Amino acid sequence: MNGNKVTLEHVARLAGVSIITVSKVLNNKGRISEATRARVLQAASQLGYVANSAARSLRGRPTQILGMVIPELVSPYFAEVARAAADCASQMGYDLAVFTTSRDPERERERVGTLLGGLADGLVFVVPIGAAGFLATLERSRSPVVLVNHFGTPTHLPVVRADSFEGSLAAIRHLLALGHRRIGFVSGAAHSSQAAERLRAYRECMMAAGLWDEQLVRPGDFTQQRGVEAGHELLSLEHPPTAIFAASDLTAFGVIAAARSRGLQVPEDLSVVGFDDIPAAAHSHPSLTTVAHPIPAMAQAAVELITRAMAGENVRDVHIEFPSQLVVRESCAPPPSNNRRKHR
Amino acid sequence: MNGNKVTLEHVARLAGVSIITVSKVLNNKGRISEATRARVLQAASQLGYVANSAARSLRGRPTQILGMVIPELVSPYFAEVARAAADCASQMGYDLAVFTTSRDPERERERVGTLLGGLADGLVFVVPIGAAGFLATLERSRSPVVLVNHFGTPTHLPVVRADSFEGSLAAIRHLLALGHRRIGFVSGAAHSSQAAERLRAYRECMMAAGLWDEQLVRPGDFTQQRGVEAGHELLSLEHPPTAIFAASDLTAFGVIAAARSRGLQVPEDLSVVGFDDIPAAAHSHPSLTTVAHPIPAMAQAAVELITRAMAGENVRDVHIEFPSQLVVRESCAPPPSNNRRKHR
DNA sequence: GCTTTATGAGTTAACGTTACCTCAACACTA
DNA sequence: TAGTGTTGAGGTAACGTTAACTCATAAAGC
């Protein structure tokens, strides 16, 4: 692997001193004569010595590193969370080590272990899916951990999360208020608890309004590609929807692309609502009506919680929930049938 | 810090076996009776045991982790690089540990040490600024390292980078071809070698055309906020520019915002070119003409190089340069004075 | 009944680093 | 001169884990 690992011993031998002396020089500890110091530094530099942090952390030095385990960085939502957390951590004098797990539970467990086993002083765990047994283990280990967006099994671990239900409800009600009656839904990835919340809000609202139609719900996976496909599926229905609520902004962009390729105008012929409020949502044309999580505030809360936990404060059962909020922009309008009636 | 660290010893004591036996059970090595195995697993689970990866890596096990050291995740450019690399790494069976350094050279050195010192099998180092002595050290250490976007001191370490000069040249020539004569420039952060390349292209091109005017160059820092300020500065000049080339897309958005707040239309009254081609550039209104780095290809190349290096292949002096490319969209048009002349 | 073999468990040592201690040499004070 | 303090260096042990051994015990083969 690593051609020739340079250790303290190599440096010590070259400088003609003991290992301990080298360690002291490099850590600025103890009293060392200028001559020795110079010789050691010269030797270390010559050999390209880099301290082995695994060994160092094994000796119990705090690392000033916060760990973050997150499913992926590919989706803008997670990228934003990582960004915001890195920002907060940096402001508090910590560095953030971000690990992606590709949603593989085994890997997740490993990465969490890597981080808590000496590498990081604390851990922010962005939970993709309720890993019940794992969380219980984590809980018992009493390591400084904060869960972000955990919706599954109840836990005593501190949790920071954003509501998806209320915001989704607001989105559907917004469409209903505009006069829409056939409202399609493209869901998020099957394993996501956030996706489940969004679907639940859609279902409850539509059922309460007596507008529920199973045909109007299409499975999705948060991606733009799937948005295109699902958009075509919905718009090919005998009674196509006049509005579509997508479980992510990317999916919403896909739906819009599908609509355009069929000659439909957004929002004149089709209203579209997304979820996430990624930066592109504000810059797109038309700008996208969407539901926003307050990501910076969430990251701030998570980092603050973890530092409090590391300081020894008891944060058991601290649960902080942030509201989601409908951001009305340009991608929604009254349904075309209403307009026609008006014009006649 | 960590309330009660659970080690193999604790598990062993509870299960009534030796430390080694526990290690064997948890690693599926050696021959263990079913009864013992069950007891050990039960004890480990009960105590919430998580292996200390520092100790483990100290014993020389490969970690299947690639390290990435990157200045920050806040700017979309770096976020995209991290995303793309995580994607590639994941496809090759590795996880990516992303470290941000806030551009602090001391931290940078530390993080690189952390990663190479046992945590990661290899390192992708996204270089913010030429840290000459550090790179020499790294080079001598013979660790598997790939530099991304290194432009400073020559090195034998493998380098993957994207050109900024040619793309910037193309951007300025595009504006010249449209008829612009007064072209403003908002530079990137002072310490960035990429920013320097962009400025160099602007200067050489404008000087060659006999259009150089120092007033037209404003210092920037890649941010949107600074784009707003610099935009106002440039548009307040006695002879304001009819086009502005910004060293980043965010800055370009800032310039556009400044122009709008002064009642100017883009691109009718002011043409704007950005740099980076962040996702929002395609979705903005008007969509942004910009210069793109082929980030996915770069990430792919970097990850491939690092895996080759880890496999023992000699990658000394391998330098791969990707071209930057002008992406023409809607934010540029002929200057208004030209139109007037035509109309008269 | 004795050797061979399989099985399950434990021992030892080492990875690279650092906290804590010891120790030699020398320069002061009383 | 003896005692005290300062300076510079080295020694020992420990962090948690695991590879390579060793060693009992019991089953199988002759």
Side-chain angles (χ1 to χ4, degrees):
Chain A
M1 194 90 13
N2 202 328
N4 49 346
K5 261 191 184 164
V6 181
T7 72
L8 285 181
E9 197 190 340
H10 299 121
V11 178
R13 210 172 301 168
L14 179 59
V17 294
S18 73
I19 292 179
I20 327 303
T21 304
V22 178
S23 170
K24 280 181 191 161
V25 168
L26 297 175
N27 290 292
N28 282 319
K29 295 213 169 171
R31 311 189 159 276
I32 305 288
S33 70
E34 263 319 306
T36 310
R37 165 182 303 274
R39 240 182 324 139
V40 167
L41 288 177
Q42 153 67 20
S45 158
Q46 183 179 331
L47 293 173
Y49 171 80
V50 178
N52 182 324
S53 67
R56 180 178 276 176
S57 102
L58 196 54
R59 287 289 304 152
R61 280 182 122 209
T63 57
Q64 289 295 108
I65 293 175
L66 289 185
M68 169 173 265
V69 172
I70 196 165
E72 37 135 337
L73 288 173
V74 179
S75 102
Y77 181 83
F78 288 123
E80 286 291 322
V81 171
R83 276 187 212 188
D87 231 20
C88 296
S90 156
Q91 275 168 19
M92 309 198 64
Y94 285 87
D95 269 339
L96 193 74
V98 182
F99 276 72
T100 54
T101 61
S102 322
R103 300 181 190 284
D104 175 343
E106 188 56 39
R107 282 213 168 151
E108 223 149 66
R109 195 182 187 112
E110 258 180 53
R111 296 304 158 253
V112 169
T114 304
L115 284 163
L116 290 179
L119 169 60
D121 298 339
L123 174 66
V124 179
F125 188 16
V126 183
V127 186
I129 174 171
F134 182 30
L135 288 183
T137 305
L138 210 50
E139 197 173 324
R140 271 195 298 270
S141 83
R142 303 208 181 222
S143 307
V145 175
V146 172
L147 304 180
V148 173
N149 278 354
H150 173 67
F151 280 87
T153 341
T155 173
H156 294 297
L157 294 169
V159 175
V160 172
R161 67 187 204 185
D163 155 77
S164 270
F165 187 80
E166 291 296 332
S168 301
L169 226 52
I172 303 292
R173 287 191 183 133
H174 175 63
L175 292 172
L176 289 173
L178 284 170
H180 294 275
R181 288 298 168 263
R182 290 203 50 88
I183 302 173
F185 182 74
V186 185
S187 74
H191 56 261
S192 159
S193 47
Q194 293 277 355
E197 287 291 287
R198 293 167 202 181
L199 174 58
R200 188 167 68 88
Y202 169 80
R203 175 182 286 134
E204 289 191 9
C205 202
M206 293 297 277
M207 280 187 166
L211 298 171
W212 173 257
D213 178 354
E214 205 174 339
Q215 284 198 316
L216 291 172
V217 179
R218 298 288 149 164
D221 56 6
F222 292 129
T223 67
Q224 185 153 0
Q225 177 55 35
R226 182 63 200 133
V228 175
E229 296 164 14
H232 280 300
E233 288 166 27
L234 286 169
L235 296 171
S236 304
L237 290 175
E238 198 179 347
H239 298 293
T242 59
I244 295 178
F245 178 33
S248 85
D249 285 349
L250 285 182
T251 302
F253 287 137
V255 168
I256 291 174
R260 282 195 178 139
S261 81
R262 302 170 80 94
L264 297 176
Q265 297 274 342
V266 175
E268 290 78 4
D269 303 316
L270 180 73
S271 291
V272 177
V273 181
F275 201 114
D276 285 345
D277 195 23
I278 64 178
H283 295 113
S284 68
H285 185 65
S287 60
L288 187 67
T289 292
T290 186
V291 182
H293 279 178
I295 294 180
M298 290 168 64
Q300 178 89 29
V303 171
E304 266 181 29
L305 256 178
I306 197 71
T307 52
R308 280 165 55 192
M310 290 184 312
E313 193 176 329
N314 179 17
V315 291
R316 251 176 84 93
D317 290 312
V318 174
H319 283 47
I320 305 178
E321 177 150 327
F322 287 87
S324 52
Q325 198 153 18
L326 181 66
V327 180
V328 177
R329 294 209 182 89
E330 305 165 351
S331 62
C332 295
S337 51
N338 278 13
N339 290 339
R340 263 177 241 139
R341 271 187 227 123
K342 275 182 211 153
H343 289 308
R344 278 172 198 167
Chain B
M1 195 92 10
N2 201 329
N4 49 347
K5 260 190 184 164
V6 181
T7 72
L8 284 181
E9 197 190 342
H10 299 122
V11 178
R13 210 173 300 168
L14 179 60
V17 296
S18 73
I19 292 178
I20 327 306
T21 305
V22 178
S23 170
K24 280 180 190 161
V25 169
L26 298 175
N27 290 291
N28 282 319
K29 294 214 169 169
R31 308 189 161 278
I32 306 287
S33 70
E34 262 318 305
T36 310
R37 166 181 304 274
R39 238 180 327 135
V40 168
L41 288 177
Q42 154 67 19
S45 159
Q46 183 178 330
L47 292 173
Y49 171 80
V50 178
N52 182 323
S53 67
R56 180 177 276 174
S57 102
L58 196 54
R59 287 289 306 151
R61 281 180 119 208
T63 57
Q64 290 296 107
I65 294 176
L66 289 185
M68 168 173 266
V69 172
I70 196 164
E72 37 133 339
L73 288 174
V74 179
S75 102
Y77 181 83
F78 288 123
E80 286 291 322
V81 171
R83 276 187 211 188
D87 231 20
C88 296
S90 155
Q91 276 169 19
M92 308 198 66
Y94 285 88
D95 269 338
L96 193 72
V98 182
F99 276 72
T100 56
T101 61
S102 322
R103 302 182 190 280
D104 174 342
E106 188 53 42
R107 281 213 167 152
E108 222 149 66
R109 194 183 189 112
E110 258 181 52
R111 295 304 158 253
V112 169
T114 305
L115 285 163
L116 290 179
L119 168 60
D121 299 339
L123 174 66
V124 178
F125 188 17
V126 184
V127 186
I129 174 172
F134 183 30
L135 288 183
T137 306
L138 211 50
E139 197 173 324
R140 271 195 300 269
S141 83
R142 304 208 181 225
S143 307
V145 175
V146 172
L147 304 180
V148 172
N149 279 353
H150 173 66
F151 280 87
T153 339
T155 173
H156 295 297
L157 293 170
V159 174
V160 172
R161 67 187 204 185
D163 155 77
S164 269
F165 187 81
E166 291 296 331
S168 301
L169 226 51
I172 302 292
R173 287 190 181 134
H174 175 62
L175 291 173
L176 289 173
L178 283 170
H180 293 277
R181 290 296 169 265
R182 288 199 57 84
I183 302 173
F185 181 74
V186 185
S187 73
H191 56 261
S192 159
S193 46
Q194 293 277 354
E197 288 291 289
R198 293 167 202 181
L199 174 57
R200 188 166 68 87
Y202 169 79
R203 176 182 285 134
E204 289 191 10
C205 202
M206 293 297 277
M207 280 187 165
L211 298 171
W212 173 257
D213 178 354
E214 206 174 338
Q215 284 198 314
L216 291 172
V217 179
R218 297 288 149 163
D221 56 6
F222 292 130
T223 67
Q224 186 154 0
Q225 177 54 36
R226 183 61 202 134
V228 174
E229 296 165 12
H232 280 300
E233 287 167 27
L234 286 168
L235 296 171
S236 303
L237 290 175
E238 197 179 349
H239 297 293
T242 59
I244 295 179
F245 178 33
S248 85
D249 285 350
L250 285 182
T251 302
F253 286 137
V255 168
I256 291 174
R260 283 195 178 140
S261 80
R262 303 170 79 95
L264 297 176
Q265 298 274 342
V266 175
E268 291 78 4
D269 303 316
L270 179 73
S271 291
V272 177
V273 181
F275 202 114
D276 286 343
D277 195 23
I278 64 177
H283 295 112
S284 68
H285 185 66
S287 59
L288 187 67
T289 292
T290 186
V291 182
H293 279 177
I295 294 180
M298 290 167 65
Q300 178 87 30
V303 171
E304 266 179 31
L305 255 179
I306 197 71
T307 53
R308 280 166 55 195
M310 290 184 311
E313 193 176 327
N314 180 16
V315 291
R316 251 177 84 94
D317 289 313
V318 175
H319 283 46
I320 305 178
E321 178 150 327
F322 288 88
S324 52
Q325 198 154 19
L326 181 67
V327 180
V328 177
R329 295 210 182 89
E330 305 165 351
S331 62
C332 295
S337 50
N338 278 13
N339 291 338
R340 263 179 241 140
R341 272 190 223 119
K342 275 182 208 151
H343 288 308
R344 278 173 198 169

